Each structure stands twice: as structure tokens, then as C-alpha cells.
Amino acid sequence: MRAPQEPATTQGQDQEQATPCTRIVPVVLAGGSGTRLWPMSREQFPKQLIGVVGSDTLLQATVHRLDGFAPEWQVAKDPIVVCGEEHRFVIVEQLHACGLDARLVVEPARRDTAPALTLAAAVACAEGEDAILVVMPSDHAIADTPALQQALASAARHAQRGAIVTLGVPPRSPETGFGYIRIGEAIDDGAHRIDGFVEKPAPELATQYVAQGGYWWNSGIFVMRASVWLDALRALQPDMHAACLASFVEGKLDGGTFRPGKDAFTNTPADSIDYAVMERLSKSSGWAPEGVVIALDAGWSDLGSWDAVWAALDKDEDGNVGRGRVEFEGAVATYAHSEGRLVACVGTSNLVVVETADAVLVADRSKVQDVKGLVTRIKAQRAPEADAHRKVQRPWGFYDSIDQGERFQVKRIVVTPGARLSLQLHHHRAEHWTVVRGTALVTRGEETFLLSENESTYIPLGVRHRLENPGKMPLEIIEVQSGAYLGEDDIVRFDDTYGRCG
């Protein structure tokens, strides 16, 4: 990835005469923090980072969707992934696990999908070529990847000539949780001009849309040339364009990670791709690209609820889906997910049961959309179950909060070989460390020493300290914290390998 500079665009050109481009760059939007799949999905570990429909996480499945794409197209091996700082390290770890080194764009604040795509388009243009972007949310499920690739190939041909293309899903039922695209006249290759967008409809209107035809679900997948998106945004959302480009030019490159300028990006209006551009294409005056929609019949689901997860998975003869340690006895149309303990469903009907280490959800499948409101209440109570799992991933490994009480907390900490925590201190707690596996290199004040298995040390309140794993096997310690306040924000960092100081 090159150093930031003002990306060139093609405003004023005849898009029909633009030089054909066969290079495709996947853009994965991974900045969401969905709550409808709670308790699996949390604020700090959203649904794109979990595996609910297969062995891969939703993010990993997304970045592999263009594998084996039609040979006449040159698909970049390193996708552009746009995410937030709080999820950056887990995303990098998951991408490395599936053999990818993505170009990461780390948003300094959440501003919805239109600014996120604008940063990705600026990165693509700054690389020196006007590639075709295939923009995919990271939290959807696709059952038929070849069918998706066929639709994307058709979309790329229209994007070559300057159109902005989206994929629409012919509805299977009158869903009220999706936006709809009203399709216009047919062009060719199964494509239609976009006649308009419709908000999530009431049940009666959704039934009417399905009955009369001409309305497709909005998949949130887009295809366009990078310069075409930037020019469209300049014409239709000049304030957003100016703020995003200023943020890009002020940004800094750190290896394969690009960090846009914080102040300029914070001033960027928040809006979605649909609202900012797509809904305005047919209504704008002056220059604007053509909006095109292509049918996607590939078993698409946005996995917006536990009921959608149940619908996307194979079922037994009674309509049940079980994941993990699950047993059914006389159950019908039940979804059960266990992260550890045995979950037994006896005589249940149309239920969702999800078990994690620190929370259990039991819900009627027809009421799962209300989970979002439940999580809002949990957040208002400042309960930790809304934000993070008991087991929390960190760039150096993970910790698991295994017990807590008044003025104490016990954690199991696992540090990967060669990794180290930040040099830090705490104002409100002291810590006892006991090594149960591996070897620890400990910095405590001015001294540095090694601890082996069954050895321990004490870190007084207010003393600088650091934990490192110098060995070739995972380091595992038990940490006992004691003090008046045990929150994770009682950390003052002085040095950090992962850029978290300040």
C-alpha cells in the first residue's frame, strides 16, 4: 500500500469510453457491531467474527467468496478490509489463519458504509489503477458461491462501462426486516435499471411486493469502479467526499494498515451507501452514473436474527438445528447452540436456545427481532455481557475471567509464543501471577526475571510491569486481581508493541 495522496478520479469523462478494466479488488466492510445474534455476538466481538453457519467465521467465508473467480478477471489476492480499531487484531488473526494478508483500513470512528467505501476507493485509486471494487458486507451468508460469482461477473461487466451495480435477491417470502429494490426496465444479461429503493415495509406491503413481483431484497453487495464511486460521491455528497478525502490525505500507513486522519473523518457525515448515493442516482440532476441491479439467486441471508440462522442451516426431520453439545427429545423447529455445556431440549417448539460461558438466551423464534431491545437494556445496566465475552481476545493471546467477587477477580491469561503485553501500571489494583504452563519473562519496576511453572510473583499497585512469553509454547498464568476497582480501563500504558499507547 502506497503512502496517501489525493486519488485521481474521472469526473467529466465519458464513462462509456473509459478504458476497460479487468482487475477486481474485493472490499470487505467489517466495521459493524450487530446485537441481534446476542449472546454470541457482542459489541467487542460482533457477528462477522463468529462462526454460526460453518467452521469458518463469517468474515473468513466472505474473503474467500471470490476464490476461483472467472479467469478473464484478475482478482487481487489482498482484499481491502475496512474495520474499527477495537476489532483490528482479531480480524488480522482470522485473516492470517485462512492464509490472507489483507490491506486494512482502520476507521477512527463509525460513520456507516458510505464513508467506509470511500476510504477503500481512495486506497484503490492511490495504488495507481482504477480497479473494479466488489463491495461485500462481512456478516452475510451465501449458500451457492458459484451462483454468486456468476452474478458478480455480470455486475463487473456493467461496472466496466461506468455503472454502479447492486445485487438484488428475488424474495422467497414477504420479509419485513429487509429493504427492497424496485427494479426498472431490463437491460441485458439479466440486469435491470434501478427504479427506486423502498424502506423496510409493513407486513401487508411486503406481501404485496412478493405477490406483484418487481421488488427484490437489497443484498448490500455493490460493484463499481473506484473512480466512479468517488466521482458519484463528489457530485451527490460533496461534504462527505471532501471530509473523507481530507482524512485519507492526512492518514498514515503502518505496514499493511492504513489509518485515516481522525479529525477529518470525525467530521464526515454518517450515511449508508444506499442513502448517500444509490437512492439518488435516478433522481439527481447533472452527471451521475447509471444504477443497475442484477438478480442474486444464491441462498443469500443477512443473518439478521437467530431465526435467519436457523433458516440458513440444514435441519433434522423435525426441523431442529443443533450446534455444539445439543440433544433433542420430542422437539420441533428448535434452534439450539451450545458453547460448552450440554443443552437438552425436550418437547420444545419454535424456540431458540443459545448457551455461552456467561449468558443463556431462550426466545420464541417469532420474537427474535426483540433481542436488540433486550441488549439495549443490558447495556443501560452497564452489564459486561453486552460488550464482551468472558473470554476476550487480545493481540498477544486472550484472557478468560473465570471468577470474580467484591474487590477481587481471577483471570486465566494465555500469551502466544514470542508475544508480550504492554508495559503498564494500575492505579486501583494489585496483581498476583502464578505460572501454570510455559515460561514467563516478567518486568516489575526496575527488575526483570523469569518465572517457570508453579512459580509466582506479586505486582504491587502503581508499579510498572510487563508480561512476556520468551518460549516456543503458549504461556498460561492465573492472575488474581485485588483492589477497589477492577475495570479494564484502569490501565496506563507506557510502551506497547501493538500501538495502543494513549
Side-chain angles (χ1 to χ4, degrees):
M1 193 184 298
R2 299 177 183 175
Q5 56 183 322
E6 182 79 22
T9 60
T10 58
Q11 188 172 20
Q13 291 184 14
D14 182 351
Q15 295 294 327
E16 296 286 348
Q17 300 300 318
T19 302
C21 174
T22 60
R23 180 167 170 79
I24 288 178
V25 174
V27 175
V28 178
L29 304 180
S33 59
T35 57
R36 289 185 176 89
L37 294 190
W38 185 90
M40 287 286 292
S41 176
R42 310 282 175 102
E43 183 79 17
Q44 295 181 24
F45 207 79
K47 68 176 180 175
Q48 61 264 29
L49 302 180
I50 62 178
V52 290
V53 292
S55 57
D56 285 343
T57 67
L58 296 179
L59 170 69
Q60 290 171 326
T62 303
V63 296
H64 281 306
R65 289 203 174 117
L66 268 64
D67 290 355
F69 200 67
E72 62 266 26
W73 301 97
Q74 303 171 18
V75 180
K77 294 181 180 179
D78 50 345
I80 298 173
V81 179
V82 187
C83 65
E85 179 66 37
E86 64 272 30
H87 307 139
R88 173 168 67 100
F89 297 110
V90 178
I91 287 174
V92 169
E93 181 181 342
Q94 290 193 1
L95 293 178
H96 283 175
C98 57
L100 287 175
D101 289 317
R103 291 172 284 176
L104 242 61
V105 178
V106 180
E107 296 176 289
R110 291 178 184 171
R111 288 296 181 268
D112 216 324
T113 55
L117 173 54
T118 305
L119 292 176
V123 166
C125 283
E127 292 292 309
E129 58 182 338
D130 186 15
I132 294 172
L133 308 182
V134 173
V135 185
M136 300 175 287
S138 60
D139 55 358
H140 292 179
I142 300 288
D144 188 346
T145 298
L148 169 67
Q149 292 188 357
Q150 183 177 356
L152 289 176
S154 177
R157 288 190 286 272
H158 287 279
Q160 270 186 326
R161 63 178 180 80
I164 296 183
V165 189
T166 186
L167 302 188
V169 180
R172 301 182 294 272
S173 59
E175 292 289 338
T176 60
F178 302 150
Y180 286 70
I181 301 170
R182 187 169 61 248
I183 64 175
E185 64 177 301
I187 304 173
D188 57 34
D189 198 21
H192 293 258
R193 288 189 171 86
I194 294 174
D195 192 46
F197 287 78
V198 181
E199 290 294 318
K200 297 174 182 178
E204 298 80 8
L205 197 54
T207 301
Q208 180 181 331
Y209 289 162
V210 174
Q212 74 184 49
Y215 290 84
W216 292 347
W217 293 339
N218 187 355
S219 74
I221 300 173
F222 302 92
V223 183
M224 79 287 287
R225 289 173 58 171
S227 65
V228 169
W229 172 261
L230 293 176
D231 287 342
L233 196 74
R234 187 199 302 269
L236 302 173
Q237 299 287 346
D239 291 344
M240 182 184 296
H241 179 274
C244 286
L245 267 291
S247 175
F248 176 79
V249 172
E250 294 170 7
K252 299 192 180 301
L253 191 59
D254 178 15
T257 299
F258 176 67
R259 297 178 178 278
K262 182 176 181 178
D263 292 341
F265 194 75
T266 303
N267 292 328
T268 301
D271 212 344
S272 69
I273 295 170
D274 290 328
Y275 287 151
V277 171
M278 298 303 294
E279 293 189 6
R280 299 168 180 260
L281 293 183
S282 60
K283 303 173 184 177
S284 62
S285 58
W287 177 85
E290 180 184 18
V292 173
V293 59
I294 290 174
L296 174 64
D297 188 7
W300 170 89
S301 174
D302 76 339
L303 299 179
S305 69
W306 284 114
D307 189 50
V309 174
W310 171 84
L313 292 170
D314 293 334
K315 303 164 188 63
D316 67 15
E317 60 185 9
D318 295 315
N320 300 310
V321 175
R323 290 175 65 85
R325 297 184 64 207
V326 172
E327 294 289 340
F328 295 109
E329 182 66 36
V332 176
T334 293
Y335 176 87
H337 184 117
S338 167
E339 286 288 283
R341 290 169 288 183
L342 175 66
V343 173
C345 299
V346 180
T348 59
S349 177
N350 295 304
L351 280 187
V352 168
V353 183
V354 182
E355 179 269 348
T356 68
D358 59 351
V360 177
L361 170 70
V362 180
D364 189 300
R365 275 189 33 236
S366 67
K367 300 293 184 181
V368 289
Q369 293 291 348
D370 296 340
V371 170
K372 183 176 181 180
L374 170 69
V375 176
T376 299
R377 289 210 313 277
I378 295 173
K379 285 183 178 180
Q381 299 166 4
R382 299 184 180 276
E385 291 83 1
D387 293 324
H389 288 278
R390 202 185 78 173
K391 179 180 176 180
V392 177
Q393 299 290 332
R394 286 291 185 257
W396 42 259
F398 69 86
Y399 69 81
D400 186 359
S401 299
I402 57 181
D403 197 10
Q404 60 183 340
E406 187 177 357
R407 296 183 63 87
F408 83 91
Q409 182 170 219
V410 181
K411 289 183 177 180
R412 172 176 166 252
I413 297 176
V414 177
V415 185
T416 55
R420 62 180 187 172
L421 283 65
S422 59
L423 180 65
Q424 59 185 252
L425 65 76
H426 311 293
H427 290 299
H428 303 287
R429 70 174 186 252
E431 296 173 346
H432 293 260
W433 294 348
T434 300
V435 177
V436 296
R437 184 170 62 146
T439 301
L441 177 60
V442 177
T443 298
R444 183 180 61 187
E446 300 300 321
E447 57 181 331
T448 301
F449 53 92
L450 292 171
L451 288 179
S452 299
E453 292 181 7
N454 298 318
E455 294 183 335
S456 62
T457 190
Y458 170 64
I459 310 295
L461 181 150
V463 172
R464 295 191 187 196
H465 58 278
R466 168 175 262 159
L467 177 65
E468 305 180 47
N469 181 0
K472 296 183 179 181
M473 63 181 294
L475 164 66
E476 185 173 345
I477 75 167
I478 300 299
E479 176 184 83
V480 180
Q481 303 175 354
S482 59
Y485 178 71
L486 305 174
E488 282 299 301
D489 53 350
D490 181 25
I491 299 177
V492 180
R493 291 188 173 95
F494 301 95
D495 178 67
D496 183 59
T497 304
Y498 313 103
R500 296 173 297 168
C501 290

Short mmCIF file of all heavy atoms in Angstrom, two decimals, residues 63-73 75-77 145-146 149-150 153:
data_model
loop_
_atom_site.label_atom_id
_atom_site.label_comp_id
_atom_site.label_asym_id
_atom_site.label_seq_id
_atom_site.Cartn_x
_atom_site.Cartn_y
_atom_site.Cartn_z
N VAL A 63 -14.14 -13.36 2.71
CA VAL A 63 -12.92 -13.07 1.96
C VAL A 63 -12.57 -14.19 0.98
O VAL A 63 -11.76 -13.98 0.07
CB VAL A 63 -11.72 -12.80 2.90
CG1 VAL A 63 -11.96 -11.57 3.74
CG2 VAL A 63 -11.43 -14.01 3.79
N HIS A 64 -13.18 -15.36 1.12
CA HIS A 64 -12.91 -16.46 0.19
C HIS A 64 -13.94 -16.56 -0.93
O HIS A 64 -13.85 -17.46 -1.77
CB HIS A 64 -12.87 -17.79 0.95
CG HIS A 64 -11.59 -18.02 1.68
ND1 HIS A 64 -10.36 -17.96 1.05
CD2 HIS A 64 -11.32 -18.31 2.98
CE1 HIS A 64 -9.40 -18.21 1.92
NE2 HIS A 64 -9.96 -18.42 3.10
N ARG A 65 -14.91 -15.64 -0.99
CA ARG A 65 -16.01 -15.79 -1.95
C ARG A 65 -15.59 -15.55 -3.40
O ARG A 65 -16.32 -15.95 -4.31
CB ARG A 65 -17.16 -14.86 -1.58
CG ARG A 65 -17.87 -15.35 -0.34
CD ARG A 65 -19.27 -14.88 -0.17
NE ARG A 65 -19.83 -15.56 0.98
CZ ARG A 65 -20.23 -14.97 2.09
NH1 ARG A 65 -20.16 -13.65 2.20
NH2 ARG A 65 -20.70 -15.68 3.09
N LEU A 66 -14.46 -14.92 -3.63
CA LEU A 66 -14.01 -14.72 -4.99
C LEU A 66 -12.90 -15.70 -5.38
O LEU A 66 -12.30 -15.57 -6.45
CB LEU A 66 -13.54 -13.28 -5.20
CG LEU A 66 -14.63 -12.31 -5.72
CD1 LEU A 66 -15.74 -12.16 -4.69
CD2 LEU A 66 -14.05 -10.95 -6.05
N ASP A 67 -12.61 -16.68 -4.53
CA ASP A 67 -11.64 -17.72 -4.88
C ASP A 67 -12.13 -18.47 -6.12
O ASP A 67 -13.29 -18.89 -6.19
CB ASP A 67 -11.46 -18.71 -3.72
CG ASP A 67 -10.74 -18.10 -2.54
OD1 ASP A 67 -10.29 -16.94 -2.65
OD2 ASP A 67 -10.64 -18.78 -1.50
N GLY A 68 -11.25 -18.66 -7.09
CA GLY A 68 -11.63 -19.38 -8.30
C GLY A 68 -12.55 -18.61 -9.22
O GLY A 68 -13.27 -19.20 -10.03
N PHE A 69 -12.53 -17.26 -9.11
CA PHE A 69 -13.39 -16.42 -9.95
C PHE A 69 -13.02 -16.60 -11.42
O PHE A 69 -11.92 -17.05 -11.76
CB PHE A 69 -13.22 -14.96 -9.54
CG PHE A 69 -14.35 -14.06 -9.97
CD1 PHE A 69 -15.61 -14.20 -9.44
CD2 PHE A 69 -14.12 -13.06 -10.91
CE1 PHE A 69 -16.64 -13.36 -9.83
CE2 PHE A 69 -15.14 -12.22 -11.30
CZ PHE A 69 -16.41 -12.36 -10.77
N ALA A 70 -13.93 -16.22 -12.32
CA ALA A 70 -13.73 -16.40 -13.76
C ALA A 70 -12.35 -15.90 -14.18
O ALA A 70 -11.94 -14.80 -13.80
CB ALA A 70 -14.83 -15.65 -14.52
N PRO A 71 -11.60 -16.70 -14.95
CA PRO A 71 -10.20 -16.39 -15.24
C PRO A 71 -9.99 -15.11 -16.04
O PRO A 71 -8.89 -14.55 -16.04
CB PRO A 71 -9.72 -17.62 -16.03
CG PRO A 71 -10.96 -18.28 -16.53
CD PRO A 71 -12.01 -18.00 -15.53
N GLU A 72 -11.01 -14.63 -16.75
CA GLU A 72 -10.82 -13.39 -17.52
C GLU A 72 -10.72 -12.15 -16.62
O GLU A 72 -10.37 -11.07 -17.08
CB GLU A 72 -11.96 -13.19 -18.53
CG GLU A 72 -13.35 -13.05 -17.93
CD GLU A 72 -14.09 -14.37 -17.85
OE1 GLU A 72 -13.43 -15.43 -17.78
OE2 GLU A 72 -15.33 -14.34 -17.84
N TRP A 73 -11.02 -12.34 -15.34
CA TRP A 73 -10.90 -11.24 -14.38
C TRP A 73 -9.69 -11.50 -13.48
O TRP A 73 -9.45 -12.61 -13.06
CB TRP A 73 -12.16 -11.14 -13.51
CG TRP A 73 -13.40 -10.89 -14.31
CD1 TRP A 73 -14.30 -11.82 -14.72
CD2 TRP A 73 -13.85 -9.64 -14.81
NE1 TRP A 73 -15.30 -11.23 -15.44
CE2 TRP A 73 -15.06 -9.89 -15.51
CE3 TRP A 73 -13.39 -8.33 -14.72
CZ2 TRP A 73 -15.78 -8.88 -16.13
CZ3 TRP A 73 -14.11 -7.32 -15.33
CH2 TRP A 73 -15.29 -7.59 -16.03
N VAL A 75 -8.38 -11.03 -10.04
CA VAL A 75 -8.83 -10.72 -8.68
C VAL A 75 -7.61 -10.52 -7.78
O VAL A 75 -6.74 -11.40 -7.70
CB VAL A 75 -9.73 -11.83 -8.12
CG1 VAL A 75 -10.18 -11.50 -6.70
CG2 VAL A 75 -10.95 -12.04 -9.03
N ALA A 76 -7.55 -9.38 -7.11
CA ALA A 76 -6.44 -9.10 -6.20
C ALA A 76 -6.42 -10.13 -5.08
O ALA A 76 -7.46 -10.49 -4.53
CB ALA A 76 -6.58 -7.70 -5.62
N LYS A 77 -5.22 -10.60 -4.75
CA LYS A 77 -5.09 -11.59 -3.69
C LYS A 77 -5.21 -10.97 -2.30
O LYS A 77 -5.48 -11.69 -1.33
CB LYS A 77 -3.74 -12.30 -3.82
CG LYS A 77 -3.60 -13.14 -5.08
CD LYS A 77 -2.25 -13.83 -5.13
CE LYS A 77 -2.12 -14.68 -6.40
NZ LYS A 77 -0.80 -15.35 -6.48
N THR A 145 -21.86 -20.34 -3.74
CA THR A 145 -20.82 -19.41 -4.16
C THR A 145 -20.69 -19.31 -5.68
O THR A 145 -20.51 -18.20 -6.21
CB THR A 145 -19.47 -19.81 -3.54
OG1 THR A 145 -19.58 -19.74 -2.11
CG2 THR A 145 -18.35 -18.88 -3.99
N PRO A 146 -20.76 -20.41 -6.45
CA PRO A 146 -20.71 -20.26 -7.92
C PRO A 146 -21.80 -19.35 -8.47
O PRO A 146 -21.56 -18.58 -9.41
CB PRO A 146 -20.86 -21.70 -8.43
CG PRO A 146 -20.30 -22.54 -7.32
CD PRO A 146 -20.71 -21.84 -6.06
N GLN A 149 -20.74 -15.83 -7.82
CA GLN A 149 -19.68 -15.40 -8.74
C GLN A 149 -20.23 -15.12 -10.13
O GLN A 149 -19.77 -14.20 -10.81
CB GLN A 149 -18.58 -16.45 -8.79
CG GLN A 149 -17.80 -16.58 -7.49
CD GLN A 149 -16.59 -17.48 -7.62
OE1 GLN A 149 -16.37 -18.07 -8.67
NE2 GLN A 149 -15.81 -17.60 -6.56
N GLN A 150 -21.21 -15.88 -10.56
CA GLN A 150 -21.82 -15.62 -11.86
C GLN A 150 -22.51 -14.26 -11.88
O GLN A 150 -22.38 -13.49 -12.85
CB GLN A 150 -22.83 -16.73 -12.19
CG GLN A 150 -23.46 -16.60 -13.57
CD GLN A 150 -24.40 -17.76 -13.88
OE1 GLN A 150 -24.53 -18.69 -13.11
NE2 GLN A 150 -25.06 -17.69 -15.02
N ALA A 153 -19.79 -11.54 -11.91
CA ALA A 153 -19.15 -11.38 -13.21
C ALA A 153 -20.02 -10.52 -14.13
O ALA A 153 -19.51 -9.65 -14.85
CB ALA A 153 -18.91 -12.75 -13.85
#
